Amino acid sequence: IHVTEPSLDDMADYDVCIIGGGIAGLATAVGVARRGVKRIVIFEQARRLEPIGAAIGLFPNGLAALGAISKRVYDKVLDSSIHHDISQMYSIDGPTLLRETDYSKMDMISPTYLVWYLLQKYLAQDLGEALDEDIGTVLKMGHVLESFQVDDASGLVKVRVRNRNDDTTSEVTSRVLVGADGIHSTVRTQLFGSKELRYHNKMMFRAIV
C-alpha cells in the first residue's frame, strides 16, 4: 500500500485505487467505503466475475474481521455457509487422533465454509450499496496494471492500466494505491523487485464426503 498525505488542492481522480478484485481487494474497498471514502476504483484483470469450483473456510478470527468490515456481508455469509462444531486432526501414518477442537464449548462462532464466489459476490454487492453506485462503475473488469509511479510535484500515484477488452491503455491518479493482485503481484514486484516464491511446506486437500 502506498499512501499520500491529504491536500486541500488534491486533484486526484480517486482517493483509493485497488489493484485486484478478489476477496482481499473487494474487502478493502468495502472497509474504506463503509468509513466514508467514496472515490474508489478497483481494477481486476478477469473480464467478469464467474462462479468457480472452489470453497473458502472462515475461522473465528476471519469471521470477526469480516464482521468489522461489513455486518451485512457477515450475516449473508453465516446464512450461506456450512458450520461444524468439532474439528479433528489425524496422523497421516495411521488412525491416531492428534488434536480435537470442540468449538461448541468455546465462546466463539464455529468455522464456516462456503463457495468462494459467494463471498466475492456479497462483497461486490455491499460495495455498490455503500457507494450508492452501480458496481460496474467502481469495479473495472478486464483491466491489467502496467505500471505506477509517484508524482513528485503532487505526491499522487499515477496508475497506468491496460484494458484487455479493447487493448487500450489509460492513466488515473489516486491518493492511495493498494496492491491486492495475488501471489504474482505486479504492485509488489515494482516496489520490491522480483522475488523467488518460497514453498511453505503445507498442502491442502479438497474432497467431497
Side-chain angles (χ1 to χ4, degrees), residues 35 38 81 86 89 150 206:
R35 284 152 183 79
K38 298 301 181 184
S81 57
I86 298 178
M89 180 182 295
V150 179
R206 297 183 185 274

Side-chain angles (χ1 to χ4, degrees), residues 78-156:
L78 291 185
D79 290 339
S80 306
S81 57
I82 299 172
H83 306 260
H84 77 267
D85 291 329
I86 298 178
S87 175
Q88 296 176 327
M89 180 182 295
Y90 287 87
S91 169
I92 194 172
D93 300 321
T96 302
L97 180 63
L98 300 178
R99 186 175 66 193
E100 178 176 288
T101 304
D102 188 345
Y103 294 96
S104 66
K105 297 179 180 179
M106 301 180 181
D107 186 22
M108 63 177 64
I109 296 177
S110 62
T112 64
Y113 300 87
L114 75 158
V115 178
W116 188 93
Y117 170 75
L118 281 180
L119 179 53
Q120 188 180 34
K121 175 183 175 181
Y122 295 156
L123 287 167
Q125 291 173 341
D126 198 61
L127 179 59
E129 294 172 6
L131 296 176
D132 194 24
E133 287 190 45
D134 183 276
I135 187 61
T137 65
V138 182
L139 180 57
K140 307 291 187 181
M141 305 299 298
H143 285 71
V144 179
L145 173 68
E146 289 200 333
S147 64
F148 67 88
Q149 65 179 20
V150 179
D151 181 73
D152 292 334
S154 64
L156 300 177

Side-chain angles (χ1 to χ4, degrees), residues 143-192:
H143 285 71
V144 179
L145 173 68
E146 289 200 333
S147 64
F148 67 88
Q149 65 179 20
V150 179
D151 181 73
D152 292 334
S154 64
L156 300 177
V157 187
K158 293 182 177 181
V159 182
R160 187 173 182 82
V161 295
R162 177 173 56 85
N163 188 334
R164 296 178 61 211
N165 302 300
D166 57 15
D167 205 32
T168 59
T169 58
S170 59
E171 186 176 275
V172 300
T173 57
S174 179
R175 287 192 53 245
V176 176
L177 175 64
V178 178
D181 47 342
I183 192 171
H184 300 290
S185 171
T186 302
V187 175
R188 184 183 64 244
T189 299
Q190 184 172 328
L191 281 174
F192 305 110

